Amino acid sequence: MMGPSHALSGAAVWLTGSWAMAQFADYHQTPLALAVGTAVCAGGALFPDLDLSGKVTRNQGGATVARTFGVVSLFVAEVVEKISLGVYYATKLSKDPRRNNGHRTLTHTIPFTVLVGWGTTALCAHYGKWAVVGILFFMIGLALRGLFDKWAERAGWVVVTLVSAAAAWFTFANLPGDRGYPMIGLAVGVGCFVHILGDMITRAGVPILWPIPIKRRMWTMIGLPNKIALRTGSKAETVVLRTAMTILSVLAAVGLVAPSVLQRFDIQV
Ligand SMILES: [Zn+2]
């Protein structure tokens, strides 16, 4: 799947989940908390593709996510890709094929998802608002890249970086202090997981079972069979899937925000 579809799926899942929590578990969030969770989950849904590096020196190639903060994030992507490839070789069994690129390996596994979610939660618990502002800056940047890809492309990474910094600062200034913010860790983890599911419906598949060895393979790629798999960048993805996810997000957002708006104007339904 392409970057924008991943980001959109993260936003759709978070909004729908929040709506379900409000509806069935009576768990309500403030509009700011909702916006933060949605942005972080959309950004998290791009995070695993930080293993798709391009040509750093020539400033080209790489996944949507690798381009977010210009050369800095391209460099990070290069490092993540090499580490992933290292882990691949360190854990590979005799039937696992040789490879020369780490894309769709370590960062597309359940242990990685859990680690990122837990790490984010630990950072927020330990450093409070200061961790939150850093994580938000990073995740909002990714979300902007994904959700407003055409705009981000035109604006360039400097503008994307400035807008993320401003949004992170605004949130920082308005968030209640002295808390752990566990929802941010959850949103990052859920985002990563949604990304893996998104890649599973494409042909190449992902090593979702790692590190469970199957038939002398540690990195079994699991995905839909070729016949029904989604082709990356096809109409089914860019039109059908994205429209469906946009509608879902809008419906969930309206369902979440409408009751409090109606209440404010004292309108009974
Ligand atoms: Zn991916």
Side-chain angles (χ1 to χ4, degrees), residues 1 6 48-49 51 103-104 107-108 195-196 199 206:
M1 259 163 60
H6 278 304
D49 274 350
D51 66 350
H103 179 48
R104 279 196 179 191
T107 61
H108 289 64
H195 178 103
I196 297 176
D199 276 351
V206 282

Side-chain angles (χ1 to χ4, degrees), residues 11-155:
V13 165
W14 192 259
L15 284 169
T16 313
S18 300
W19 176 81
M21 288 291 283
Q23 204 70 16
F24 305 114
D26 211 27
Y27 182 87
H28 298 277
Q29 303 175 61
T30 63
L32 181 66
L34 264 176
V36 168
T38 306
V40 171
C41 196
L46 284 170
F47 193 66
D49 274 350
L50 204 63
D51 66 350
L52 192 57
S53 58
K55 297 274 177 292
V56 178
T57 43
R58 272 180 281 156
N59 199 19
Q60 53 180 222
T64 310
V65 36
R67 313 194 56 84
T68 308
F69 304 106
V71 184
V72 179
S73 47
L74 272 174
F75 176 73
V76 172
E78 190 88 45
V79 174
V80 171
E81 190 263 304
K82 290 292 174 292
I83 292 174
S84 302
L85 191 61
V87 172
Y88 180 85
Y89 273 102
T91 59
K92 124 184 217 312
L93 298 176
S94 59
K95 288 274 194 227
D96 283 312
R98 299 181 63 80
R99 50 187 308 156
N100 48 28
N101 187 291
H103 179 48
R104 279 196 179 191
T105 56
L106 181 65
T107 61
H108 289 64
T109 62
I110 303 281
F112 178 82
T113 300
V114 174
L115 190 75
V116 170
W118 173 81
T120 310
T121 310
L123 276 177
C124 292
H126 205 266
Y127 297 102
K129 274 181 118 176
W130 286 107
V132 172
V133 75
I135 292 160
L136 280 182
F137 166 67
F138 185 71
M139 287 300 165
I140 291 172
L142 297 189
L144 286 174
R145 260 286 164 187
L147 294 176
F148 308 104
D149 58 318
K150 297 261 160 52
W151 167 81
E153 194 104 20
R154 260 183 285 124

